[in-house]
Amino acid sequence: MQDYTHVLCLFCKTGKEQSVAHRITEDGVGTAIFPQRISKRYSKERKAYEEIKTALLPGYVFVYLPEEPRPVNWWTFSGVIRPLGYGEGRRDYLAGSDLAFAQWVWQKEGNISHVKVVAAGDRIEIADGLFSRMRGTIIRVDRRKKTCCVALDTSGIIRQVWLPYELVEPVDAPRAVGPQSE
């Protein structure tokens, strides 16, 4: 993979991540990656769960741009809704924890293996890789697939993510009483 100097995050139609990433890379604009994880899906034919790759962040594509990026109208790429930015109407390169996350995705070439999380009721702390020490709130839990939707405690662009879980222990808050979805 070639080097990059700037990273953008594009918000796309869910399910179009692969086609958007492929077209951006093929057109030579930059290298586009959408992070993927292993997910389990029930096969009616086999009557068993099978592992498939799915988008870790549905609707998000990271674009790694060369030193002198050419001006690009992102809306010409089918499936792109808009480039994300930090201010009202601004389209900025990623910075801070968003850039660190994008660099981690680059190092993993978009293939994110199982991420361990520790849960404390609604509050969690992620205990593996770049995510380590990030905290958030579990919004939904899918016990069959052993995944949870986490609203991250961040002011960055990425605020919600589905993560597989392996360990569940209290972090800093008592367990909240309430329904959890399956």
Side-chain angles (χ1 to χ4, degrees):
M1 293 175 67
Q2 65 183 10
D3 289 333
Y4 64 91
T5 57
H6 304 291
V7 184
L8 284 172
C9 185
L10 300 177
F11 183 55
C12 306
K13 293 179 182 176
T14 301
K16 297 292 185 181
E17 301 89 359
Q18 185 172 8
S19 63
V20 167
H22 179 75
R23 180 149 178 245
I24 289 170
T25 301
E26 286 292 311
D27 285 1
V29 174
T31 303
I33 297 175
F34 69 101
Q36 299 175 67
R37 66 179 175 88
I38 301 295
S39 179
K40 292 184 180 184
R41 178 180 66 182
Y42 187 76
S43 170
K44 290 180 182 179
E45 296 168 357
R46 296 186 183 142
K47 297 186 185 212
Y49 283 95
E50 57 188 19
E51 292 187 348
I52 59 167
K53 282 190 172 184
T54 59
L56 176 67
L57 304 167
Y60 294 93
V61 173
F62 294 95
V63 182
Y64 302 84
L65 300 165
E67 190 169 324
E68 293 296 326
R70 67 181 193 212
V72 177
N73 184 355
W74 298 108
W75 293 273
T76 62
F77 293 93
S78 177
V80 173
I81 296 171
R82 64 184 161 87
L84 298 177
Y86 295 102
E88 192 171 317
R90 293 176 54 195
R91 289 175 211 96
D92 299 315
Y93 297 125
L94 297 182
S97 63
D98 292 329
L99 179 58
F101 178 78
Q103 289 168 335
W104 182 69
V105 169
W106 175 266
Q107 290 170 351
K108 298 284 188 178
E109 295 181 356
N111 298 310
I112 312 302
S113 61
H114 293 290
V115 178
K116 299 175 189 173
V117 299
V118 291
D122 291 341
R123 299 288 304 154
I124 61 100
E125 180 174 277
I126 301 168
D128 188 29
L130 176 76
F131 292 113
S132 67
R133 289 183 246 121
M134 287 185 79
R135 291 187 179 201
T137 303
I138 294 176
I139 308 173
R140 293 180 16 207
V141 175
D142 186 330
R143 295 191 194 289
R144 282 181 289 121
K145 294 181 182 178
K146 296 185 180 179
T147 59
C148 55
C149 184
V150 178
L152 299 172
D153 294 347
T154 180
S155 60
I157 292 173
I158 301 166
R159 296 189 178 132
Q160 204 176 88
V161 61
W162 277 93
L163 299 170
Y165 65 87
E166 294 178 30
L167 303 173
V168 179
E169 297 176 7
V171 174
D172 65 358
R175 183 169 182 85
V177 177
Q180 290 182 343
S181 62
E182 278 219 26

